[in-house]
Amino acid sequence: MSTQISPETRPREEWTGQVGFILSAIGSAVGLGNIWRFPGVAYENGGGAFLVPYLIALITAGIPILYLDYAIGHRFRGSAPLALRRISRWFETLGWYQVAICFAIAVYYTAVIAWALSFFWYSFGLRWGDDTTTFFLVDYLQVADVGGADPWFTLDFVPAVLIPLVLVWVMTIVVLSAGVARGVQRVNILFMPLLLVAFGVLVVRSLTLPGATDGLNALFTPNWEALRSADVWIAAYGQIFFSLSIAFGIMITYASYRRRRGNLTSPGLVVAFANSGFELFAGIGVFAALGFLAGQQGVAFGELEGITGPILSFVTFPALVSQMPAGPLFGALFFGSLVMAGFTSLVSILQVVSAAFQEKLSISRRKAALAIGGLASVVSVLGFSTTTGLIALDTLDNWANNVGIVSAAVVMCVLVIWVARRGQELRFHLNSVSTVQVGGWWTFCVGVLAPVVLGWMLVSRIRTLLVEGYEGYATWYLGVVGWGAIAAFVVFAVLLTLAPWRAPVDAYEPWPRYDKLHAPRRGEKGGAA
Amino acid sequence: MNPSAIVLMVLSLLLVWGGLGVSIAMLMARPERSEWPDGWTDDEADG
């Protein structure tokens, strides 16, 4: 006979302490984008001058939205759907929209970690040879020609991708099944210091390579004129926003596992600056190494191709490693770092999905991990371990991030601050449990500045996608995989909101009590003072 | 490296890693509050 324990009576899982919470939040924020996105974005948007909009974006959008996530999750003690429902019943839909985004990201993000795992293995024998582009696209991924008449979707599995992909999924399910303290936290406590050491060795070695200063010159020489361009500022806000794992449920979920009397704002500052610190550190290492590569190839730095994204990691970096003294060791350090950075982020993404279903269906974490991990792994294998996996990954990644996450952020800020008018209550919550106090500037940032900047980003990106398409892919394909995914997120969110909760969750009293909640509304008489 | 790149690199490191250092120092100096609002103790089971 099984006994069903409701979320109301089951003690909530908790981080074992401040360090566990902070390392796990850093592990979530520090991901593949810190290594392969930041340096290229900085280089293309003013070099050293990019630091100005970047730091302004960190302080006016990154940290404020991080605090908003923390406040919602910590005060309303739930995964994104439950915490948002406890603010207002229909906000649950936004929570499920965030869960859907996380599910979609997880299914392709795992594939990238699988690639990194393969390349970690290949590093020891420098298996990619001299032509790293051909090795990655043809020999390894076996990309099908998607030039129009050829297939856009196949079920031709690529064993070299499939095997590590299955391995990553098994590891993920094991970690999620073990729970917050014994699974997620342990992985982060192990991987975060290891990542820092591995990447630290790589950065120090890169800085000692001939030509390293050319790369650093390229990264840091300021182009002040660039600051007049709105696109540069949008790029800075985008970098901070995508890098910090904010506004798609992760930090809401993680904060909900923080003990009630746990400090929020000081750990938040540590997380935000650690994320940016790692990003800068990675930028220095990557660009120093690219400077060396340019020298080896006898070209100017500006003529180098593939200095950002997956091509940087899986084409340019292998070429670089081949030319480095002790290349296999540094290849293994680089791809090992990618695996660790990616895995800790992946676990956080799937914890959002797992926590949401544990609460909605009143199921154990093990059952949730098996069911969600099982379903996601099937989708992941079918979609991304085949010869058409790369194009699907590229398309889904673009829509999930640039349309999905950004829209979730704008809607969350508007709903919570303007519709439910909970800004003051959430600021009161942050200040009641934290050592660093948050001023009225925070409400302005999350209520006005962030939604305006992100809203602008969203509108301009949607317009570009509608007018220009994406990467020359067929319109119908973008409609199905890109826009279709967004539509599927919305439908999923509405359906899950309509589905009943297995156990009552609405009889919930937030702590600390916020008196303004009980104040009489305009026109009403009486009520609590 | 050219002088402006050196200045920007040092400045970036000072601001970002300095910000991290200050945040950690603040957290170590005062990891938690000493007083909280009424109505909750850490001994209570959390739902």
Side-chain angles (χ1 to χ4, degrees):
Chain A
M1 192 178 105
S2 67
T3 311
Q4 205 172 59
I5 305 170
S6 80
E8 290 296 289
T9 53
R10 184 193 303 143
R12 187 161 192 80
E13 289 190 87
E14 282 187 0
W15 308 107
T16 58
Q18 190 130 263
V19 173
F21 168 61
I22 291 173
L23 282 181
S24 302
I26 294 173
S28 172
V30 171
L32 303 174
N34 294 64
I35 297 171
W36 76 31
R37 192 172 189 273
F38 170 77
V41 170
Y43 171 66
E44 288 164 2
N45 290 281
F50 182 72
L51 175 72
V52 175
Y54 177 81
L55 284 175
I56 290 173
L58 175 66
I59 290 164
T60 59
I63 293 172
I65 299 179
L66 182 68
Y67 282 177
L68 178 65
D69 276 351
Y70 278 3
I72 292 170
H74 194 251
R75 183 163 183 78
F76 297 101
R77 313 298 291 168
S79 62
L82 179 56
L84 287 164
R85 179 188 172 91
R86 283 173 169 168
I87 293 177
S88 180
R89 187 162 291 205
W90 277 98
F91 290 6
E92 183 187 337
T93 308
L94 173 62
W96 286 112
Y97 182 69
Q98 294 179 341
V99 169
I101 293 170
C102 286
F103 184 87
I105 291 176
V107 294
Y108 70 76
Y109 204 78
T110 324
V112 183
I113 300 170
W115 301 349
L117 200 56
S118 299
F119 274 64
F120 172 77
W121 179 249
Y122 297 156
S123 295
F124 294 101
L126 300 179
R127 282 267 302 277
W128 41 73
D130 294 330
D131 186 354
T132 53
T133 306
T134 303
F135 179 81
F136 178 56
L137 297 175
V138 180
D139 300 337
Y140 179 65
L141 292 181
Q142 298 175 28
V143 174
D145 187 354
V146 287
D150 291 321
W152 290 86
F153 177 76
T154 70
L155 284 176
D156 298 335
F157 293 101
V158 180
V161 178
L162 179 64
I163 294 166
L165 184 58
V166 171
L167 190 64
V168 174
W169 274 113
V170 170
M171 283 161 41
T172 308
I173 290 169
V174 168
V175 170
L176 291 178
S177 301
V180 170
R182 292 198 306 161
V184 178
Q185 181 177 297
R186 270 190 191 171
V187 164
N188 282 286
I189 285 177
L190 175 69
F191 278 6
M192 281 300 100
L194 263 179
L195 174 65
L196 191 62
V197 171
F199 220 83
V201 172
L202 198 69
V203 171
V204 170
R205 181 67 187 106
S206 299
L207 287 172
T208 59
L209 290 168
T213 51
D214 295 337
L216 296 180
N217 266 334
L219 181 60
F220 286 107
T221 300
N223 170 16
W224 299 111
E225 285 296 306
L227 298 188
R228 292 184 182 178
S229 162
D231 289 344
V232 170
W233 288 82
I234 295 287
Y237 274 87
Q239 176 59 33
I240 285 290
F241 180 74
F242 293 127
S243 175
L244 264 176
S245 290
I246 47 179
F248 63 116
I250 295 176
M251 293 302 172
I252 291 179
T253 308
Y254 270 21
S256 75
Y257 299 126
R258 185 94 172 97
R259 68 187 179 88
R260 293 231 194 197
R261 286 179 164 187
N263 193 358
L264 293 177
T265 54
S266 292
L269 288 177
V270 174
V271 170
F273 278 104
N275 177 62
S276 290
F278 186 84
E279 201 151 80
L280 190 60
F281 191 53
I284 289 171
V286 167
F287 266 62
L290 290 175
F292 164 74
L293 182 66
Q296 294 296 303
Q297 294 183 348
V299 297
F301 190 92
E303 292 171 31
L304 275 182
E305 290 181 351
I307 58 168
T308 187
I311 296 298
L312 166 72
S313 297
F314 297 102
V315 174
T316 311
F317 233 87
L320 167 72
V321 163
S322 294
Q323 301 195 36
M324 277 173 86
L329 170 66
F330 292 102
L333 282 176
F334 178 76
F335 289 109
S337 296
L338 278 187
V339 171
M340 289 188 283
F343 190 72
T344 49
S345 299
L346 172 69
V347 164
S348 72
I349 292 167
L350 276 167
Q351 183 63 32
V352 174
V353 188
S354 173
F357 280 99
Q358 283 175 49
E359 290 165 358
K360 183 86 180 186
L361 303 177
S362 277
I363 54 175
S364 70
R365 62 174 184 247
R366 191 159 300 168
K367 205 178 270 183
L370 282 172
I372 292 157
L375 176 66
S377 60
V378 170
V379 177
S380 183
V381 164
L382 289 176
F384 305 101
S385 68
T386 65
T387 55
T388 46
L390 182 63
I391 187 173
L393 187 152
D394 187 26
T395 309
L396 189 54
D397 176 57
N398 185 57
W399 262 264
N401 279 286
N402 292 309
V403 181
I405 299 180
V406 181
S407 61
V410 174
V411 171
M412 185 171 77
C413 289
V414 170
L415 287 183
V416 173
I417 304 297
W418 293 104
V419 178
R421 304 188 77 81
R422 296 296 188 104
Q424 292 308 318
E425 180 186 345
L426 293 172
R427 183 157 77 94
F428 160 80
H429 182 88
L430 288 169
N431 288 339
S432 299
V433 296
S434 302
T435 51
V436 171
Q437 301 295 286
V438 172
W441 63 271
W442 175 76
T443 320
F444 172 76
C445 288
V446 291
V448 180
L449 191 65
V452 166
V453 175
L454 295 174
W456 173 264
M457 255 172 71
L458 179 66
V459 170
S460 60
R461 186 53 66 108
I462 289 176
R463 206 181 64 179
T464 305
L465 290 172
L466 286 173
V467 174
E468 298 174 13
Y470 181 67
E471 296 287 338
Y473 299 157
T475 307
W476 71 264
Y477 183 82
L478 300 180
V480 173
V481 180
W483 298 114
I486 299 295
F489 299 163
V490 174
V491 171
F492 169 88
V494 171
L495 290 178
L496 263 292
T497 305
L498 293 173
W501 290 75
R502 287 270 181 87
V505 291
D506 294 328
Y508 172 80
E509 193 65 38
W511 177 87
R513 182 188 166 101
Y514 180 63
D515 285 338
K516 212 170 175 183
L517 272 179
H518 307 283
R521 288 180 188 166
R522 200 174 289 169
E524 284 181 356
K525 289 179 182 173
Chain B
M1 282 180 76
N2 64 56
S4 58
I6 293 173
V7 170
L8 262 298
M9 187 174 86
V10 172
L11 199 64
S12 313
L13 288 170
L14 275 178
L15 287 172
V16 176
W17 283 90
L20 176 60
V22 170
S23 309
I24 292 173
M26 276 167 38
L27 188 61
M28 288 174 75
R30 209 174 156 212
E32 299 287 359
R33 289 176 69 93
S34 51
E35 289 179 352
W36 290 271
D38 294 335
W40 186 266
T41 64
D42 277 339
D43 299 330
E44 291 178 58
D46 203 355

